[in-house]
Amino acid sequence: MVTLKSAAEIEEMKIAGQFVASCHKRVAEMICPGITTQEINDEVERLIVKAGGRAPTLGYNGYRYATCTSVNDVIAHGFPNSKPLRQGDIVTVDIVAELNGWVGDSAWSYAVGSVTEEAEKLMRVAKECMYIGIERATVGSRIGDVVHAIQQHAEHNGFGVVRDLLAHGVGRSMHEEPNFPHVGSPGKGFRLKEGMVFTIEPMLNTGTYRMTIDDDGWTARTADGKLSAQYEHTIAITKAGPVILTAQ
């Protein structure tokens, strides 16, 4: 069941969303060759604790970290570790934080130093896809209209759109209804209603859209070992248009 949020609740959710955005601003300051994803994770966890919040990923189905940090061919759910990031890497940092009983969720891909033209294009188009989807997320539209626009832009630029990892509702918990992939047909799927709050988080690969899962049961990688990038915002559907709760 989709839980619609009131205007007052959406305003409360902005607090959590803006906190997550502030965490990403701190991550952006930290990204450089030589830093580790464990250091990034620890800093985000420190900020969440300092703010009196909670990291919902900690302990979620056995997950042991406050963030997901996905490097190069890792699409999502990468474990933070002590391996230094290298010049030319792409790292996607997914941050979820609960403040005052509400959750904010946003992922961002970062270039570590200078990256290849291919990687730069991948990141640019992935971000464009997210904002194209957000722009079409209006009251009365169908989700197929939103995700078709994302898929069309990604594939026009030669990138694969991951099918097996889904966008999701956000509210009192990290994962709520609705759930949907970032591909589809216009005019299909559920209709968007005022008060819906969910993520737009397309994951784009330079090669195939297919993925594999490591033996750890979490780490999702591109099936062909090529690069992946992702951008994610939590948005609210309002009469005035989509509102980005995690806007930076």
Side-chain angles (χ1 to χ4, degrees):
M1 181 188 299
V2 176
T3 304
L4 302 180
K5 278 73 175 178
S6 68
E9 288 174 326
I10 289 170
E11 287 301 311
E12 291 177 12
M13 288 193 71
K14 280 184 182 178
I15 297 172
Q18 285 301 291
F19 172 74
V20 169
S22 73
C23 289
H24 274 293
K25 290 178 182 177
R26 175 63 184 130
V27 170
E29 294 171 351
M30 297 175 70
I31 295 290
C32 64
I35 197 167
T36 70
T37 52
Q38 186 66 58
E39 289 175 297
I40 293 168
N41 176 85
D42 291 349
E43 175 67 2
V44 171
E45 185 173 1
R46 184 189 70 80
L47 292 172
I48 293 173
V49 171
K50 182 180 178 182
R54 184 179 74 89
T57 56
L58 267 173
Y60 178 78
N61 290 338
Y63 192 81
R64 304 191 307 274
Y65 305 94
T67 65
C68 299
T69 55
S70 304
V71 181
N72 294 334
D73 67 323
V74 178
I75 300 169
H77 308 152
F79 291 0
N81 60 50
S82 58
K83 181 180 178 180
L85 293 173
R86 298 178 299 177
Q87 177 89 11
D89 284 342
I90 294 176
V91 56
T92 299
V93 181
D94 193 351
I95 300 173
V96 188
E98 179 188 313
L99 285 181
N100 304 318
W102 294 103
V103 172
D105 185 2
S106 178
W108 217 254
S109 288
Y110 297 93
V112 182
S114 299
V115 298
T116 65
E117 288 185 11
E118 179 185 49
E120 189 174 352
K121 180 182 178 183
L122 173 68
M123 295 173 69
R124 174 177 58 80
V125 174
K127 187 186 292 186
E128 290 170 354
C129 282
M130 177 187 66
Y131 284 118
I132 285 169
I134 292 171
E135 183 181 346
R136 285 159 176 75
T138 56
V139 173
S141 298
R142 290 195 179 273
I143 196 62
D145 303 327
V146 175
V147 298
H148 178 73
I150 290 171
Q151 181 181 4
Q152 193 173 45
H153 186 64
E155 293 179 351
H156 175 76
N157 282 279
F159 299 122
V161 184
V162 173
R163 270 81 159 155
D164 295 333
L165 299 173
L166 306 179
H168 55 89
V170 180
R172 293 290 188 184
S173 62
M174 177 170 56
H175 291 143
E176 297 184 355
E177 295 291 339
N179 298 288
F180 55 91
H182 292 88
V183 297
S185 301
K188 302 293 185 179
F190 64 85
R191 199 174 292 279
L192 274 56
K193 298 180 180 179
E194 182 181 7
M196 284 182 169
V197 177
F198 54 79
T199 62
I200 299 288
E201 50 174 306
M203 289 149 270
L204 271 59
N205 303 338
T206 55
T208 180
Y209 65 82
R210 300 186 186 279
M211 59 176 242
T212 61
I213 302 292
D214 284 3
D215 291 341
D216 60 26
W218 284 100
T219 306
R221 294 182 186 273
T222 58
D224 54 11
K226 294 186 178 181
L227 294 176
S228 186
Q230 178 195 18
Y231 294 86
E232 172 191 20
H233 273 315
T234 301
I235 68 167
I237 307 303
T238 76
K239 286 182 180 178
V243 175
I244 302 174
L245 302 182
T246 49
Q248 296 184 29

